[in-house]
Each structure stands twice: as structure tokens, then as C-alpha cells.
Amino acid sequence: MKKFLIILIMSLIMCGLLASTSLIVSAAGDKEELLGSGMIIYMQMGGTEGDPSTLARTNGARAAAKHLGVKLIEQYSAWQPEKMINQFKEALAASPDGIVIMGHPGEGAFESLVEEAISRGVIVTSGNNPLPNLQTMYQDKGFGYAGADLHAGGYLTGQAMIKQGLKSGDKALVYGLFSQEGRRKSPMGIVDALEDVGLVVEKLDISPEVDTEASLCIPILTAYLERNPDVKAIGTQHGNVTSNMMKVLQAAGKKPGEVIVGGIDLSPATIEGIEKGYVSASFDQMLYLQGFFPVLQVVLMKKYNIPGLDINTGVGIATPQNIGELKTLIEKGVR
């Protein structure tokens, strides 16, 4: 009997050890089975880490990397095209599995670099600012796009501004990156929407200095409003400029709603501007998705040879009417 009890106890201990080992192996197996386990992806995020026009994109990319088991290398350029090109070269030198780029430098600047990367087996895809010709050339190699249709997004913003009471003959300013090949499409969308209903539109180019440090727009736009007191609307498709628009109007002595403002993205300052009536509409291009989907694209191409997907993330407008329901998500860096 005693011998039987010893055997029974030993058997139970062995079963426990085997069960524990099985759980450990299973857990290890689950970790190994993450779709992107072991992959390294370099990703251009745009501005500076944590800034209002970049945070949600970074959070989306980090979430995708965590869920897929990817090692993510983040690159921040302060929106400078030359720096984006240098970042691509740095990434390529490391021979990662994938590189996510933004189209701000233009197709000519990227063409030979993308060709070299793909010839070396590195997957390249894009976000935020499209490179349609390169996407067509290398879509079967995984080159996709996650972002807004730039002109359509600007046009949608312009339409939202018109709904706030603008009419034919009103004067408007569109402040945008008109000198940049790709990014000019966004402000031109606003221009076209306003001109289509008969507004008189003036275009003003955002300088490289303002592009990097958007608070510099405050004296520029304040001076413009002082010289043009009859301007009824200001439109922009620059997120950090949008976040400064309430300060611009306050400095110019304008009351909420006196100048209709249409912008882009949803920084804390832009939310406050919407809530207080200084910003009438802001284009929501779903930056979180612009971070998440490119990481997923690289993994899907690497793992399953899935060609580049074209994902339109530019489908929303934030207004005083819906900002309340979005605010919590925006504060979390998701919207």
C-alpha cells in the first residue's frame, strides 16, 4: 500500500511537471507564432516624437509592432524632405525587412533608392503622403499606401467650411505647402472647393521654417488679417498650423466664428479651438491607422506575399457638433 502511494504521488508530480512544461512550450510557441516575429521595420513618422501631428501615427505603429512581434525603428524628420531621404539611406544600410516612407520628398528623389531597396529584398511601403507612380511600379512587391487622398481631403475640408456660412464673393486665404510637389495637393483641395462656390481665394505658401516650427505662423497670419480685415475664412492642411489658429485669431482680435477656419488633425490645441468656436472644421485623416497599416503591410508581404494595399484613411471631419464624442479617444492618442 505504501509503495502504491509513493508511486501515485510520484505520478502526480510528474504529471504536474509535464503540464507545466507543456504550458511553457505552448507559451513559447505562441510567441514564435506571432506573424512578424523577428522582423525589423524602419518607419518614417513625420514630425517630432510626441508632437500633435505625429503622436497617433506613432501609437498605431507601436501597437501593430507589438501585436505582430516586429522590432520597430522610429524615424522623425521634423517634416524635412531632405532628412527623410537621409533616413531612408540609413535604414537601407541596416538591411531591414521593411522600410515605411512618406512621399514628401517626391517620386524623383525616392525612385532610385526604392529600386535599390527592392532589388535587395527590402519591402518598401508608404503612408501619409502618396507616391502613386512608385506604388504602381512596385505594388506586387508590397508597395502600398495608407493615408488620405490629399486633394479629396482638402476638398472635404473646404466643403465643411462652406457649410459654416460662407457664400459666393467672400474672401478666403488658404495657407499651405504649395511649393512641395506632393503636399500641395491638400491645400489645393481647399482652394478648389471654395472657388467652386464662387469664393475669392488667395494662396499663401508655408515656409520651411514654419513647416518645422509652426508657432512662427502666428505673427505671419496675424499681420495678414490686419492687412485684410474683410477675409471671411482661412483654410490650411498643416496640422501644427491648425493647432495655432486659435492663437492667431485671438492675437488679431477676432471673435469665435468671425473668421471661418478649416484645418487638419486633432491636437489638444485644435480640440480646444473647435470647442471654443475658433476652428470650424478639422480634417481627421486617422493618423493611428497611418501608423498601424504600413507595419501590417510589410508583415503581410513578407509572410504571405500580399501585394501593396491602398487604404484611404481620410474620411472624417471634426466639428463643434461631434468633438465631444471624439475627445476621449483623441486624448489617448488614438484619433
Side-chain angles (χ1 to χ4, degrees), residues 43 45 52-61 102 126-129 145-150 153 156 237 263-267 282-294 311-318 322 325-326 329-330 333-335:
M43 183 166 181
M45 298 295 180
S53 294
T54 307
L55 177 60
R57 181 183 299 105
T58 299
N59 288 342
M102 292 181 164
S126 65
N128 185 252
N129 199 304
Y145 175 64
D149 179 302
L150 301 186
L156 186 64
Q237 289 288 271
I264 188 170
D265 295 341
L266 298 171
S267 72
S282 192
F283 178 49
D284 181 6
Q285 56 178 327
M286 312 292 179
L287 299 179
Y288 186 92
L289 299 183
Q290 292 184 16
F292 194 98
F293 280 124
I311 300 169
N312 181 15
T313 68
V315 294
I317 291 284
N322 67 5
E325 62 191 72
L326 297 176
L329 293 171
I330 296 165
V334 174
R335 287 290 297 273

Side-chain angles (χ1 to χ4, degrees), residues 233-246:
I234 298 176
T236 185
Q237 289 288 271
H238 192 293
N240 290 338
V241 168
T242 303
S243 70
N244 281 281
M245 284 307 302
M246 182 169 70

